[in-house]
Amino acid sequence: QVQLVESGGGLVQPGGSLRLSCAAVGSIFSFMDMGWYRRAPGKQRELVAQISSGGSTNYADSVKGRFTISRDNAKNTVYLQMSTLKPEDTAAYYCYGRYLREYWGQGTQVTVSS
């Protein structure tokens, strides 16, 4: 069993930066493909970024060049560094992990507003 715990959300001005963290409690983190989804009010869930167990990354077109996903297997943690934030990045961000099944965090709110 794996538990995912997100942190790092908050209120930021347009153009600002935030770093989200997702800590995994469990022993299989290094085998897991990890990623972040987001859901904005009135919109469908959107895949933001993924990182495989081997370190390969993939991004939504809307965040390419602004967001960076990374992982630290020694800390059982995946990060989402978000830069040049826009109001349209406002959403609840959810961490997920996949190894034989999917695991989800509880979500963290990111609000981009002046």
Side-chain angles (χ1 to χ4, degrees):
Q1 188 71 12
V2 175
Q3 182 181 4
L4 301 178
V5 180
E6 299 118 329
S7 61
L11 173 64
V12 63
Q13 291 187 342
S17 299
L18 277 177
R19 187 177 79 161
L20 305 183
S21 300
C22 174
V25 179
S27 61
I28 61 171
F29 179 80
S30 63
F31 300 103
M32 299 175 71
D33 297 328
M34 302 296 297
W36 293 88
Y37 276 85
R38 67 185 180 187
R39 185 189 294 273
K43 295 186 178 181
Q44 290 188 334
R45 187 180 67 178
E46 176 186 25
L47 175 63
V48 177
Q50 296 172 299
I51 184 166
S52 71
S53 58
S56 298
T57 58
N58 184 46
Y59 297 91
D61 287 343
S62 58
V63 307
K64 281 181 181 177
R66 300 188 298 122
F67 291 10
T68 302
I69 189 170
S70 62
R71 64 190 298 159
D72 185 338
N73 288 343
K75 296 183 178 179
N76 281 10
T77 301
V78 63
Y79 303 98
L80 185 67
Q81 178 66 49
M82 305 184 293
S83 302
T84 318
L85 282 161
K86 305 175 181 180
E88 51 263 44
D89 294 317
T90 295
Y93 284 71
Y94 298 88
C95 172
Y96 82 93
R98 183 183 299 118
Y99 181 70
L100 300 182
R101 55 156 284 189
E102 288 188 347
Y103 301 88
W104 289 89
Q106 79 285 358
T108 186
Q109 180 67 33
V110 172
T111 302
V112 184
S113 175
S114 55

